[in-house]
RNA sequence: GGCUCUGUAGCUCAACUGGAUAGAGCAUCGCACUACGGAUGCGAAGGUUUGGGGUUCGAAUCCCUACAGGGUCACCA
């Protein structure tokens, strides 16, 4: 609901009182954009009002329409179609609004800190494998939601929790010791995360071999899987790590640092960043303390074997384990610790947003409930930003079947496609290699980001590496292309000596296409707010596309540069400036950059 | 099996959270234009919104039910 809707709702309330003698509230007035096949700009749905007017929908609409035209200077005309009252707004209103947008650099963007402080967690990888397509959706989503929340006025702290300890890390460590021959990222030229991932795979291969051998010796599969020597080694290493054995800790630190170097490069390519990093190795002990405290206060209980649980059956949930009988932490343990630590790290934090796949919905439901029971203030405001899996044509990604789409590979491929496309079109041949490189990344990565973000987060989505990411149609490159040609045209206007610093517009110049384009642009602030409230970048993506599409259509037959009539030209220049600026702003919230040329 | 999410054009997705004749892109077919940057624009075709009930002035949207698919119910993360 924008300013105009509020104003019209207020008028309609007054009209109801004047016409029917009933007092209602503005919330009872249903307003919507008039569908394009009818005359008018805004529509009042009159059905709900008929029980107040005690008249037919048509009669009710007509009465209100008459009153509004007579008493509200913004309403130029009305038309009743069935139960819908279509209002035409005076053109000067749109012109004024456009000029207002024009003067604002941050139209639709709230001042930072005008709303609460929130934390957004995303990425949160394990340190034993490189990032893949699923992480890309996660990262783009988390980063974009952060930007959108900022745009809506929140102070945002971007964080991740790095799962840097546990049996999975030890597997890579054991394999590297056995088969690595001292290989390092420097010696091999392999990216650090790829190197460590390689040994994780090597572990798995060796493990399977050993299991097969044991089974050949007559041992049952489930037993063999528990007895495989290399697995026992990994478990022993985890134990030594927890004891703080220097040699093991040193190896752990070294290999994790390789991974962080590798991840760092990928994050830079992706264009995402973090304000603070949390490491599981730092927080899992805090979680244990919290569990101990909760046991003390009676929120948790201990079973005979010494394991600690919480009973959530009152909440319609299960009993949930919080500490193993041997006293070691589980996933939930450390998440409790991390959550509480974050509140003390950032006083005044209103809520935490966890960008994590939908397979963990139950986990977060339990986590938030536990936090509430522990008496954490505002725990119920936390939000699990749950998103659906990215599926491939052949089904789910399976590392065992080699169907995992690697993040680095995919990014490179995208930039390569952008290169092929641009080379074929041959419009940027005079750019330097460095400029081209930047451009191909802007376009290629932009296409990928847009593809992953334009779908509502909650839905699982299909990704066909060969066919999915287009550069035409509803895509980032289409939007970028229109931005570029708008910018190019504006530059030519300047070159031609046209005044581009315009502060007044003759309201009589607009045609219906243009009025529609202006109205599209006016929906931006409401879009930002809605996207922030729903943690949904797809709303921003759709807005950017709709605006661009409307612009592209308009551009086709509305000349600017060569327009002789100066007041028409001025109006079109302002319109183009506003649209281009808004497209850039919107795409920026998706983490997508606009090139200067393409 | 319990809980949960999802089901919309051949394909990938929308639909301002209950409003008018359900919209885009891709693919297909046709058309336009000296192109302010053609990575373009316009049009055609394509739908019983999975089926069946219900609620109401009005349902893709809410309720019930059946079917189909995903997720989850670990001393994994």
């Amino acid at each position: 609901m924008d300013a105009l809707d509020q104003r019209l709702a207020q008028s309609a309330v007054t009209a109801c009182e004047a016409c029917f003698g009933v007092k209602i509230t503005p919330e009872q007035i249903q307003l919507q954009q008039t569908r394009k096949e009818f005359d008018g700009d805004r529509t009042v749905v009159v059905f709900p009002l008929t029980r107040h007017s005690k008249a037919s929908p048509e009669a009710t609409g007509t009465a209100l329409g008459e009153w509004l035209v007579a008493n509200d200077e913004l309403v130029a005309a009305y038309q009743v179609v069935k139960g819908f009252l279509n209002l035409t707004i005076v053109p000067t209103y749109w012109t004024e609004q456009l000029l207002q947008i024009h003067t604002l650099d941050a139209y639709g963007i709230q001042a930072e800190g005008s709303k609460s402080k929130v934390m957004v967690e995303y990425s949160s990888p394990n340190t034993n494998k490189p990032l893949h397509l699923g992480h890309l959706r996660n990262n783009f989503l988390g980063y974009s939601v952060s930007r959108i929340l900022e745009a809506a006025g929140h102070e945002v702290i971007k964080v991740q929790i790095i799962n840097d300890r546990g049996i999975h890390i030890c597997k890579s460590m054991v394999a590297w010791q056995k088969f690595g021959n001292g290989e390092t990222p420097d010696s091999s030229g392999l990216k650090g995360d790829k190197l460590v991932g390689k040994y994780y795979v090597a572990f798995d291969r060796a493990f399977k071999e050993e299991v097969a051998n044991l089974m050949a010796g007559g041992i049952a599969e489930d037993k063999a899987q528990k007895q495989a020597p290399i697995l026992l080694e990994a478990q022993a290493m985890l134990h030594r790590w927890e004891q703080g054995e220097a040699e093991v800790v040193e190896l752990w630190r070294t290999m994790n640092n390789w991974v962080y170097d590798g991840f760092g490069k990928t994050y830079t390519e992706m264009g995402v960043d973090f304000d603070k990093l949390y490491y599981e190795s730092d927080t899992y002990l805090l979680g244990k303390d919290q569990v101990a405290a909760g046991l003390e206060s009676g929120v948790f209980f201990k079973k005979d074997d010494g394991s600690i649980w919480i009973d959530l059956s009152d909440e319609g949930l299960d009993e949930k384990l919080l500490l193993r009988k041997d006293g070691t932490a589980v996933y939930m343990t450390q998440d409790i610790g991390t959550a509480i630590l974050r509140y003390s790290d950032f006083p005044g934090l209103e809520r935490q947003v966890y960008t994590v796949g939908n397979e963990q919905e139950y986990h977060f439901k339990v986590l938030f409930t536990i936090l509430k029971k522990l008496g954490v203030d505002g725990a119920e405001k936390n939000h699990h930003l749950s998103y659906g899996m990215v599926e491939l044509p052949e089904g789910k990604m399976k590392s065992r079947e080699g169907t995992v789409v690697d993040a680095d590979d995919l990014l490179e491929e995208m930039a390569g496609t952008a290169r092929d496309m641009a080379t074929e079109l041959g419009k940027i041949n005079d750019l330097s290699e460095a400029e081209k490189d930047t451009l191909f990344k802007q376009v290629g990565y932009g296409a990928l980001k847009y593809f992953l973000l334009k779908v509502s987060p909650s839905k699982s989505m299909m990704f066909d590496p060969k066919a999915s990411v287009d550069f035409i149609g509803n895509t980032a490159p289409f939007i970028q292309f229109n931005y570029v040609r708008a910018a190019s045209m504006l530059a030519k206007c300047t070159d031609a000596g046209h005044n581009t610093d315009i502060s007044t517009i003759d309201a009589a110049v607009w045609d219906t296409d243009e009025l529609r384009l202006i109205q599209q642009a006016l929906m931006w602030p409401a879009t930002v707010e809605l996207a922030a409230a729903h943690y949904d970048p797809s709303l921003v993506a759709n807005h950017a596309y709709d605006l661009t599409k409307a612009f592209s259509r308009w551009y086709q037959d509305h000349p600017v540069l060569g327009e002789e009539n100066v007041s028409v030209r001025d109006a079109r220049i302002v319109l183009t400036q506003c649209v281009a600026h808004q497209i850039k702003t919107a795409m920026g919230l998706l983490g997508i950059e606009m090139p200067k040329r393409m």
Side-chain angles (χ1 to χ4, degrees):
Chain A
M1 163 136 339
D2 64 12
L4 176 62
D5 284 341
Q6 283 174 25
R7 156 75 183 262
L8 290 175
Q10 200 51 253
S11 276
V13 167
T14 315
C16 276
E17 197 172 358
C19 298
F20 316 122
V22 286
K23 270 188 116 83
I24 57 170
T25 62
E27 289 71 38
Q28 289 172 271
I29 304 295
Q30 287 187 45
L31 275 159
Q32 57 186 298
Q33 198 103 9
T34 302
R35 296 183 67 100
K36 57 178 177 290
E37 57 266 36
F38 300 103
D39 286 336
D41 302 308
R42 292 296 155 105
T43 295
V44 180
V45 184
V46 299
F47 295 106
L49 302 174
T50 51
R51 68 193 174 91
H52 295 114
S53 66
K54 312 268 195 295
S56 71
E58 287 80 1
T60 307
T62 304
L64 292 175
E66 286 292 343
W67 191 93
L68 287 169
V69 169
N71 294 285
D72 189 329
E73 70 271 19
L74 281 190
V75 181
Y78 79 94
Q79 191 187 27
V80 176
V81 181
K82 291 193 276 184
F84 298 91
L85 170 60
N86 299 329
L87 303 173
T88 301
I89 307 301
V90 292
T92 48
Y93 174 80
W94 305 117
T95 308
E96 283 162 19
Q97 292 297 307
L98 182 68
L99 280 169
Q100 212 164 59
I101 297 181
H102 192 237
T103 58
L104 295 172
D105 196 41
Y107 176 67
I109 308 297
Q110 304 299 310
E112 192 187 338
S114 59
K115 293 210 188 85
S116 61
K117 191 192 292 184
V118 300
M119 177 176 282
V120 178
E121 176 194 295
Y122 64 96
S123 199
S124 302
N126 289 341
T127 55
N128 60 333
K129 281 180 285 195
L131 303 173
H132 56 69
L133 178 55
H135 292 111
L136 289 176
R137 188 177 194 190
N138 180 301
N139 277 272
F140 295 154
L141 190 56
Y143 180 78
S144 178
V145 164
S146 303
R147 296 288 306 269
I148 289 167
L149 288 170
E150 266 168 13
H154 292 279
E155 182 187 337
V156 177
I157 303 145
K158 290 169 288 183
V159 301
Q160 59 171 327
I161 176 91
I162 299 171
N163 301 300
D164 63 345
R165 53 152 229 126
I167 190 71
H168 52 288
I169 314 298
C170 292
K171 289 178 181 177
S172 299
M173 287 159 63
V174 166
W176 182 83
Q177 276 188 330
K178 289 178 106 64
F179 318 122
N181 297 315
E183 182 179 19
T184 68
D186 282 340
S187 75
S188 64
L190 262 185
K191 209 159 151 282
D193 52 331
K194 296 283 162 49
L195 179 71
V196 172
K198 175 176 146 186
Y199 287 100
Y200 188 74
V201 172
F203 174 94
D204 198 52
R205 197 182 311 122
F207 170 73
K208 277 187 182 136
E209 229 168 77
E210 289 181 358
V211 169
N213 287 341
L214 288 170
M215 285 168 70
I219 297 175
E221 184 176 7
D222 56 334
K223 278 198 170 164
Q225 283 180 343
K226 285 181 180 155
Q227 288 175 13
I230 196 166
L231 179 67
L232 298 180
E233 270 185 78
Q235 284 168 343
M237 182 159 304
L238 179 60
H239 189 68
R240 288 161 68 198
W241 180 87
E242 289 195 353
Q243 301 302 308
E245 207 175 287
E247 187 199 340
V248 173
V249 170
E250 185 52 37
L251 176 61
W252 170 78
R253 193 160 285 143
T254 302
M255 291 183 74
N256 270 343
N257 281 330
W258 291 346
V259 173
Y260 301 147
D261 280 349
F263 283 173
K265 285 176 189 151
T266 308
Y267 288 141
T268 303
E269 287 302 307
M270 286 193 281
V272 305
D273 54 50
F274 304 91
D275 300 309
K276 187 171 172 67
L277 305 181
Y278 286 89
Y279 296 89
E280 188 188 328
S281 57
D282 291 334
T283 63
Y284 80 107
L285 293 173
L286 289 171
K288 288 193 188 184
D289 294 343
Q290 294 297 339
V291 170
L295 186 62
E296 193 86 5
S297 63
V299 178
F300 307 143
F301 69 94
K302 188 181 268 191
K303 288 199 175 174
D304 291 343
D305 64 5
S307 57
I308 297 178
W309 295 72
I310 185 167
D311 182 3
L312 295 174
S313 42
D314 291 350
E315 323 279 329
L317 305 169
D318 261 342
E319 287 188 350
K320 189 79 190 171
L321 177 85
L322 298 176
L323 216 52
R324 296 192 185 97
K325 65 185 171 205
D326 63 4
T328 54
V330 292
Y331 184 44
M332 188 62 77
T333 322
Q334 64 121 10
D335 264 9
I336 294 170
T338 309
I340 292 175
L341 175 64
R342 285 168 173 174
Y343 284 112
S344 63
D345 280 352
F346 295 94
L349 189 63
E350 187 212 29
R351 61 183 189 262
Q352 301 184 37
V353 177
Y354 294 83
T355 313
V356 180
N358 62 8
E359 71 273 13
Q360 295 197 33
E361 274 170 9
Y362 183 73
H363 171 80
F364 282 102
K365 210 178 278 180
V366 172
L367 173 65
F368 297 158
T369 306
I370 291 176
L371 291 175
K372 198 169 76 189
K373 283 191 180 271
L374 285 175
V376 174
D377 240 9
E380 69 283 348
K381 288 190 175 155
N382 287 340
H383 184 253
H384 174 204
L385 172 48
S386 167
Y387 62 91
M389 282 190 322
V390 184
E391 282 169 32
L392 302 172
E394 54 270 27
K396 291 175 68 170
M397 285 194 287
K398 291 258 170 63
S399 48
R400 266 170 293 155
E401 288 156 31
T403 56
V404 172
V405 176
D406 180 79
D408 295 321
D409 292 350
L410 182 57
L411 287 168
E412 199 182 321
E413 202 178 306
M414 294 305 304
T417 308
R419 173 181 290 273
D420 295 346
M421 196 101 176
T423 307
E424 198 178 318
L425 292 166
K427 288 191 278 191
I428 46 105
N429 293 335
D430 58 315
L431 292 183
S432 72
E433 281 309 309
E435 286 170 327
K436 284 184 188 171
D437 214 50
T438 304
L439 172 64
F440 301 146
K441 286 179 179 178
Q442 285 173 331
V443 174
Y445 295 3
L448 180 62
K449 288 181 188 183
Y450 187 87
F451 183 84
L452 293 174
L453 288 174
K454 75 174 174 184
V455 180
S456 310
S458 67
K459 293 198 173 180
S460 59
M461 62 184 298
M462 172 66 90
F463 185 85
D464 183 344
K466 290 183 291 293
S468 273
V469 182
D470 264 315
F471 287 72
I472 51 176
N474 185 358
T475 66
F478 170 78
I479 295 169
Q480 288 167 325
F481 166 73
N482 278 287
Y483 174 82
V484 166
R485 65 178 180 177
S488 165
M489 181 258 279
L490 290 170
K492 282 193 177 157
C493 283
T494 308
D495 291 348
H498 298 337
N499 177 24
T500 54
D501 186 16
I502 294 151
S503 54
T504 54
I505 297 175
D506 176 359
V509 302
W510 305 119
D511 64 20
T512 53
D513 279 349
E514 293 173 319
L515 289 173
R516 200 170 300 150
L517 191 48
I518 294 169
Q519 291 180 43
Q520 191 82 42
L522 285 169
M523 289 167 71
W524 174 234
T527 302
V528 173
E529 249 175 71
L530 199 64
H534 290 2
Y535 308 97
D536 188 351
S538 74
L539 300 173
V540 172
N542 287 339
H543 177 84
Y545 175 70
D546 290 340
L547 183 66
T548 304
K549 175 82 181 154
F551 173 77
S552 184
R553 176 179 296 150
W554 171 82
Y555 176 92
Q556 197 74 10
D557 47 11
H558 290 76
V560 179
L561 188 53
E563 175 59 48
E564 300 284 330
N565 182 328
V566 177
S567 46
V568 172
R569 189 178 70 212
D570 281 358
R572 289 178 179 174
I573 287 174
V574 170
L575 186 55
T576 304
Q577 287 169 333
C578 288
V579 168
H581 184 72
Q582 189 172 108
I583 287 172
K584 183 177 183 165
T585 305
M587 295 296 271
L589 296 189
L590 303 177
I592 299 172
E593 293 175 15
M594 292 292 122
K596 292 190 180 64
R597 296 175 49 192
M598 64 188 284

